[in-house]
Amino acid sequence: MVGRIGLHTVRASLPPALELGQLGVGQSMLLVQIDDADDDALDALHLAIAEAFVALGRVTFLEDVERPTLGTLWRKLWSPGHHRSDGAEWTPEEHGTRHRRIVLRSAFGAAGAVGAAPVELGLTSTTRPEVALRLFEFSGWFQGAQLVLLSAAAAPGVDDRFICTLAAEKNWSVLDALPAEDQISAAAFPGVDGALMGVIALGNTDAQAIADALTGRFTAYGLPWQVHPPAETLSRYGHALTQGA
């Protein structure tokens, strides 16, 4: 059984320790509480979220090209100043899925620290829920390093530097400034070691539509869910909202 799934719409400054990022003016974040589940329920919950995301748009997310070593420090890797691209483009669409690669090197590379070698990451963009499910398998999920974008386009037109900067700074206001052809309808990011997921409705996207898509799939899989006040959920993790919700 799932202990508790909380759905909350927050219009406030979230505590930095939650690692869910900064909200822009007028943006709201839906908090999805995804801990307190046994293995079977967690698998069903991940699939339900993947299916809900695909129902809302094309899903683009980060993947491992190779499993990182124990010495890879994700928070140090997310450094725009140490980003470089190998010029890789999106692959042609195949079975509703496209791929491309990003290359990063550690911010400690000059010091010769562990993890100084370049790290290659994959970007996957898909309309298939069984592929979108892999967003939870990314090694950075529990370090708050996953980035999920929902869009109507064949693949987001944002460049590698933009993606890496967004993953590093988690400043969601920059998404509203994208050109119309590159608009992202929603973005998601894990926090509190994967225990929470924030989903931000962008542009004209209705936050309630996101909540309805998620709860509809939760119900379909027999997963119990409840709507809790944001303060109640955040207090579970030792935090409070810094301004009104």
Side-chain angles (χ1 to χ4, degrees), residues 126-150:
T126 188
T127 58
R128 297 172 56 190
E130 68 272 22
V131 177
L133 184 62
R134 301 205 303 254
L135 71 91
F136 296 104
E137 299 173 5
F138 178 51
S139 62
W141 174 263
F142 293 103
Q143 286 76 42
Q146 179 59 286
L147 174 64
V148 183
L149 302 175
L150 306 185

Side-chain angles (χ1 to χ4, degrees), residues 63-69 71-74 77-78 82-84 101-106 115-122 138-139:
E63 284 200 279
D64 296 304
V65 173
E66 296 181 357
R67 298 301 295 181
T69 65
T72 300
L73 302 177
W74 284 106
L77 289 169
W78 289 132
H82 293 83
H83 159 265
R84 68 178 177 85
R101 292 188 176 190
I102 297 174
V103 178
L104 303 172
R105 66 181 178 87
S106 171
V119 174
E120 193 170 38
L121 299 180
F138 178 51
S139 62

Side-chain angles (χ1 to χ4, degrees), residues 45-134:
L45 177 58
H46 286 171
L47 183 56
I49 292 172
E51 290 179 352
F53 280 175
V54 166
L56 293 165
R58 173 173 284 271
V59 184
T60 301
F61 57 95
L62 291 166
E63 284 200 279
D64 296 304
V65 173
E66 296 181 357
R67 298 301 295 181
T69 65
L70 187 61
T72 300
L73 302 177
W74 284 106
R75 291 193 181 99
K76 302 303 181 184
L77 289 169
W78 289 132
S79 175
H82 293 83
H83 159 265
R84 68 178 177 85
S85 171
D86 60 1
E89 301 294 336
W90 287 104
T91 62
E93 185 92 4
E94 184 174 355
H95 303 299
T97 303
R98 308 178 75 186
H99 304 278
R100 65 178 295 187
R101 292 188 176 190
I102 297 174
V103 178
L104 303 172
R105 66 181 178 87
S106 171
F108 291 117
V114 174
V119 174
E120 193 170 38
L121 299 180
L123 267 180
T124 295
S125 188
T126 188
T127 58
R128 297 172 56 190
E130 68 272 22
V131 177
L133 184 62
R134 301 205 303 254

Side-chain angles (χ1 to χ4, degrees), residues 172-193:
W172 303 109
S173 64
V174 300
L175 290 169
D176 280 334
L178 289 172
E181 61 270 21
D182 292 330
Q183 280 292 304
I184 306 298
S185 58
F189 204 94
V192 197
D193 297 329

